Amino acid sequence: MNTPIRLLCTAALALAPGLALPQPPAAPLPPAAPASAASAPSHAHAHGADIRAARVRGLAEQMNRPPDELKQSCRFESDIATPPMAGTVALSFDDGPEPGATQAILALLDKHQVPAAFFLIGAKAERHPELAALIKAHPLALVGNHSWSHPNFHDIPVARQASELSRSDTTLAALEAPKLFRYPYGNASCESNAQLQQLGYRIVGWHVDSCDWAFDKTGSIDAHEAKICGVEKAHREHFVDHVVSAVKARHGGIVLMHEIHPNTLAQLDTLITRLRAEGFAFAPLTHPGFLTSLH
């Protein structure tokens, strides 16, 4: 493990002694009905809690297990170590389709003429076929696979993992989606990697985690979350500054965001404008320059 990651692990664990964290449910299902204005914040809050727990558990494991052993276990493959295509950003949004949010993001892609990938939860795509169709039909959008019901693959048996992949693959095949897969919480397994390869998928991680789940509606993040996410102190009050700084540090790359978090929608317009002002271009994940970043 490289030194910055080890330091981040140490900082996060110092704030969570004994890792006495609530365990994420084995199979968190998408909401049974379209999120209303009242229910959307609670849905995002629950999702943030799940990510937080998974992140701290993952940091503990990465700090305490030898790097070679971690590599052989295939458990953490989403934080991309290879350099991105310099000066180029690929936007990506997980956990859709989300009523209201999907349409808003597509409108911003139109406004700025930038491409993006949408990693859809199969059950939600089945429940909202009109939104999945909107993404499929949009010339600047790509559909990706984000499993059937968004479980943590580290917490479910291999048979359940296989079902998550096959069900979502069948559902999204109707959209003629490119074979791009992103693990929920970024947590992989060797068995699922093998199945994804058999199905013809490339695994998509990220160079930059926006940590939109950890920033509140004012665009701020508390000290605890900032250490878990690696957000610099100077950027704790500014979500956009954090993302722009992280992109500049990596000289571009794949940026992870989520449809379900209000902070993403509220500041996406500004974020795209700032990145472009910093000289970054935007390209789809299918651009040849990103091939070395996909597994």
Side-chain angles (χ1 to χ4, degrees):
M1 179 183 304
N2 61 45
T3 300
I5 293 178
R6 184 171 291 277
L7 290 174
L8 176 57
C9 293
T10 303
L13 292 173
L15 292 171
L19 289 180
L21 292 169
Q23 299 300 308
L29 293 174
S36 65
S39 66
S42 61
H43 177 38
H45 179 76
H47 178 264
D50 286 346
I51 293 182
R52 182 182 304 108
R55 181 70 59 84
V56 174
R57 289 168 57 196
L59 289 172
E61 186 172 357
Q62 290 176 69
M63 186 177 74
N64 294 317
R65 293 179 62 182
D68 288 345
E69 182 180 322
L70 285 172
K71 186 175 181 179
Q72 292 175 0
S73 72
C74 310
R75 288 170 69 83
F76 303 102
E77 298 188 357
S78 294
D79 187 4
I80 304 170
T82 56
M85 183 166 56
T88 307
V89 170
L91 300 178
S92 63
F93 301 91
D94 288 6
D95 297 351
E98 185 73 10
T102 298
Q103 298 95 317
I105 295 170
L106 291 174
L108 286 173
L109 300 187
D110 280 331
K111 175 183 176 179
H112 293 280
Q113 286 297 291
V114 299
F118 293 74
F119 287 90
L120 306 184
I121 296 172
K124 291 180 71 173
E126 184 175 87
R127 189 158 59 247
H128 303 295
E130 73 290 351
L131 296 180
L134 275 179
I135 299 170
K136 168 63 173 65
H138 199 285
L140 293 167
L142 291 175
V143 173
N145 187 335
H146 198 41
S147 80
W148 173 253
S149 66
H150 203 278
N152 187 334
F153 276 55
H154 289 182
D155 293 337
I156 60 176
V158 172
R160 170 74 187 284
Q161 295 177 36
S163 175
E164 285 284 330
L165 300 184
S166 61
R167 290 185 73 185
S168 57
D169 179 62
T170 299
T171 298
L172 297 178
L175 299 173
E176 300 178 349
K179 294 284 191 171
L180 300 173
F181 182 85
R182 176 173 283 160
Y183 279 102
Y185 312 104
N187 288 346
S189 76
C190 293
E191 294 86 355
S192 288
N193 285 356
Q195 183 179 352
L196 287 167
Q197 290 172 359
Q198 291 174 356
L199 291 170
Y201 280 90
R202 301 294 296 272
I203 299 168
V204 184
W206 54 81
H207 295 94
V208 173
D209 183 351
S210 71
C211 267
D212 52 2
W213 58 270
F215 282 82
D216 64 25
K217 63 183 179 182
T218 69
S220 301
I221 186 172
D222 66 27
H224 185 164
E225 308 286 23
K227 287 186 179 296
I228 294 173
C229 288
V231 177
E232 297 177 13
K233 186 175 182 180
H235 302 142
R236 289 181 188 172
E237 304 297 321
H238 305 283
F239 170 74
V240 171
D241 287 352
H242 159 62
V243 180
V244 171
S245 174
V247 170
K248 290 172 68 175
R250 297 298 297 266
H251 307 291
I254 300 168
V255 178
L256 166 66
M257 292 178 282
H258 300 82
E259 288 193 48
I260 64 173
H261 290 288
N263 214 54
T264 299
L265 267 64
Q267 304 201 52
L268 181 58
D269 193 2
T270 302
L271 176 59
I272 294 172
T273 300
R274 283 279 306 279
L275 288 171
R276 185 164 272 160
E278 293 286 348
F280 289 98
F282 295 85
L285 284 173
T286 51
H287 189 287
F290 284 117
L291 287 179
T292 58
S293 298
L294 309 183
H295 293 171

